[in-house]
Amino acid sequence: MSLTDSSSEHIAKAASVASTSLAILSSNDRNEALTAIYQSLSQAKDTILAANARDVELASIAAADGQLSQSVLKRLDLSRPGKWDDMLQGILDVRELEDPVGPKEALHHSKLLWCMASLGPVRFTCPIGVLLIIFEARPEVIANIAALAIKSGNAAILKGGKESTASFLAISTAISAALSATAVPNAAIQLVTTRDVIASLLECDRYIDLVIPRGSNDLVRYTKEHTRIPVLGHADGLCAIYIHSDADPETCIRILLDSKLGYPAACNSVETLLVHQAALETHLPAIASALLEQGCSLRCDSASKTTLSANLPAAQATLLQDATDEDYDTEFLSPILAIKTVAPPAGSSDDVALTLAVAHINAHSSHHTDAIMTSSSALARQFQASVNSACVFHNTSTRMADGMRFGFGTEVGISTNKIHARGPVGLEGLCIYKYVIGGSGQVAADYGGAGAKRFKHEKLDLE
């Protein structure tokens, strides 16, 4: 890894050259680099956390002055319980994953293809090339991206936000020292220290193959609007949970507490709760009481507020707020939950209620992660098939939408794009493919016209 203040074109070109060398490194070389990064970061823990504490101190002052959001402040703090250990463990987890590049993965994919006579085209997985990652706060992103990029054979250019400069420099220094003794080219992972360089980097479509913005909605939208390079990411984490009338009440309480209050600033935190009309009195009061006890603000539509006001203790009922239409389109990133009633016509089937819930989610969700609470497997399958989101869950927390929890080791981010990489993006999302053919003089003309050879397409098992 190198710390660089060079011009954008020089940075991008150097990364492009390095990506060619990185792509052909052996799996052992790439894994040894991850081991070195893990060891170096472990040894530099005190230095890095001290640097992070300085960033947090300055960010806290900015947050108190209204110049920085509380959600950004929370994401910045590496001393939060488990955050440092998760960062390091993610490196080891990625190291232990199957190599996504080269013949072994190609053999797996080739089973899906047909072979032309003796030519036998094979689909090989390969790195995308050069990644540009633009991120705010999140200092652990450097370690996450470095691990995933090296393992997948991609070069990476990282540009972080000013609010975590000291953390970035400390982490980058440790990673740079580690990689200097490995086969990974120095320019394969670059941390850009130049200010006001994002716009010019976004113009380097000749050298950069994919942009991954991780941060605020404004950052993601700015990125998408100012580059010709493909962008992987999401602008919002507006997640919803629908409680059907047959859901288990205790399960609903556990899942709502985790989804909303486990880490409210996370993009997989639930923001909207949809409740079947028949579950208003049977399920919602206990859920609302548990949330209110832990400091969550509830913004309710008329039906849910009426029910809760009649069933909650007076001290809790006075805390209820009226929801606005805007609340159902808002990513709060804080202990606030919008509640809406799903009211099917009297005597209608479960399918009608489900259709109403799905319609609301597809219209208002950001297509990140949505969930249904129900004891019916059939309704759950219908919900999962109908909701147009990257992650659609049944009877589990929206917080489960995470690369580490999916077994990816870590992730470069969450994609809500309708492309090959969707949801938590790990190694597979950072690889593309090429077709490889080994022939013996065949030409296309041999297979056209009178008396031409015929293609013999048959499945080829290369194992």
Side-chain angles (χ1 to χ4, degrees):
M1 169 176 271
S2 63
L3 297 169
T4 179
D5 60 359
S6 301
S7 69
S8 294
E9 184 173 8
H10 182 273
I11 293 167
K13 188 173 183 179
S16 182
V17 172
S19 70
T20 302
S21 300
L22 181 60
I24 60 175
L25 284 184
S26 70
S27 178
N28 285 339
D29 283 338
R30 286 179 274 127
N31 286 338
E32 287 175 2
L34 298 191
T35 300
I37 291 174
Y38 171 83
Q39 293 173 342
S40 184
L41 289 174
S42 297
Q43 294 166 3
K45 178 179 179 178
D46 291 343
T47 300
I48 293 170
L49 290 182
N52 181 248
R54 294 195 296 273
D55 284 333
V56 171
E57 182 179 2
L58 293 174
S60 297
I61 296 172
D65 293 339
Q67 300 174 12
L68 192 72
S69 70
Q70 288 294 324
S71 60
V72 171
L73 178 59
K74 291 177 181 177
R75 291 169 179 170
L76 172 61
D77 189 1
L78 274 178
S79 68
R80 290 183 67 250
K83 197 166 188 179
W84 173 267
D85 292 336
D86 287 347
M87 180 183 77
L88 291 187
Q89 186 59 46
I91 298 170
L92 297 182
D93 290 344
V94 170
R95 184 190 64 184
E96 297 306 313
L97 292 175
E98 182 179 341
D99 186 1
V101 179
K104 189 171 184 180
E105 186 73 7
L107 295 179
H108 172 73
H109 284 304
S110 67
K111 291 180 181 178
L112 306 179
L113 302 175
W114 295 86
C115 299
M116 301 184 300
S118 61
L119 293 177
V122 176
R123 190 166 77 173
F124 274 69
T125 54
C126 56
I128 290 174
V130 177
L131 314 175
L132 169 60
I133 296 88
I134 307 168
F135 52 100
E136 299 170 334
R138 308 178 185 271
E140 73 276 12
V141 165
I142 298 178
N144 296 344
I145 298 297
L148 287 169
I150 291 170
K151 180 76 173 186
S152 60
N154 289 287
I157 302 167
L158 299 99
K159 175 57 180 166
K162 63 181 181 180
E163 60 279 342
S164 48
T165 299
S167 304
F168 294 156
L169 291 176
I171 294 173
S172 299
T173 298
I175 294 178
S176 180
L179 294 182
S180 64
T182 72
V184 173
N186 189 49
I189 309 292
Q190 300 180 71
L191 178 68
V192 181
T193 58
T194 312
R195 297 186 64 182
D196 303 322
V197 73
I198 293 177
S200 54
L201 281 171
L202 292 175
E203 295 176 354
C204 294
D205 55 308
R206 181 178 177 184
Y207 304 111
I208 298 173
D209 301 293
L210 181 67
V211 182
I212 305 174
R214 293 193 63 177
S216 66
N217 296 341
D218 290 341
L219 171 64
V220 177
R221 292 192 179 101
Y222 174 87
T223 301
K224 290 181 176 181
E225 292 169 0
H226 290 83
T227 189
R228 295 185 295 273
I229 307 168
V231 177
L232 185 151
H234 69 278
D236 297 285
L238 184 49
C239 306
I241 290 178
Y242 166 55
I243 296 179
H244 194 63
S245 56
D246 65 350
D248 178 70
E250 291 301 318
T251 300
C252 291
I253 293 172
R254 292 184 66 249
I255 287 174
L256 261 298
L257 287 175
D258 185 77
S259 296
K260 181 68 260 184
L261 300 178
Y263 186 13
C267 61
N268 56 14
S269 171
V270 67
E271 307 290 14
T272 298
L273 176 62
L274 303 176
V275 185
H276 191 291
Q277 188 173 33
L280 286 180
E281 292 195 8
T282 56
H283 293 63
L284 187 57
I287 294 170
S289 180
L291 290 167
L292 289 168
E293 283 180 3
Q294 296 196 27
C296 184
S297 297
L298 303 181
R299 300 184 179 180
C300 310
D301 67 353
S302 177
S304 61
K305 187 178 182 182
T306 297
T307 298
L308 290 177
S309 296
N311 288 275
L312 290 177
Q316 288 189 331
T318 59
L319 300 175
L320 301 175
Q321 302 172 31
D322 293 319
T324 66
D325 290 341
E326 184 180 359
D327 288 329
Y328 301 115
D329 293 305
T330 299
E331 182 186 24
F332 299 111
L333 297 176
S334 62
I336 300 173
L337 183 67
I339 302 176
K340 186 176 182 63
T341 304
V342 175
S348 59
S349 66
D350 285 341
D351 288 349
V352 175
L354 188 73
T355 299
L356 292 174
V358 168
H360 177 93
I361 290 172
N362 284 341
H364 298 273
S365 161
S366 63
H367 311 301
H368 184 299
T369 301
D370 300 292
I372 183 173
M373 303 295 110
T374 178
S375 61
S376 168
S377 297
L379 282 178
R381 286 194 297 270
Q382 184 179 339
F383 179 88
Q384 291 173 317
S386 303
V387 170
N388 184 21
S389 296
C391 299
V392 189
F393 297 162
H394 172 209
N395 288 351
T396 192
S397 169
T398 56
R399 295 274 293 124
M400 296 301 290
D402 176 83
M404 181 271 290
R405 297 182 180 109
F406 277 19
F408 298 166
T410 184
E411 65 188 29
V412 295
I414 303 285
S415 171
T416 55
N417 297 356
K418 291 187 177 181
I419 55 175
H420 77 292
R422 200 171 186 219
V425 179
L427 290 178
E428 286 191 8
L430 298 180
C431 292
I432 50 176
Y433 52 85
K434 64 178 71 173
Y435 290 96
V436 177
I437 289 179
S440 55
Q442 293 93 335
V443 296
D446 293 341
Y447 298 87
K453 297 178 181 179
R454 297 183 61 187
F455 288 112
K456 182 182 179 182
H457 293 114
E458 58 185 17
K459 285 189 175 180
L460 179 66
D461 187 356
L462 297 182
E463 291 189 338

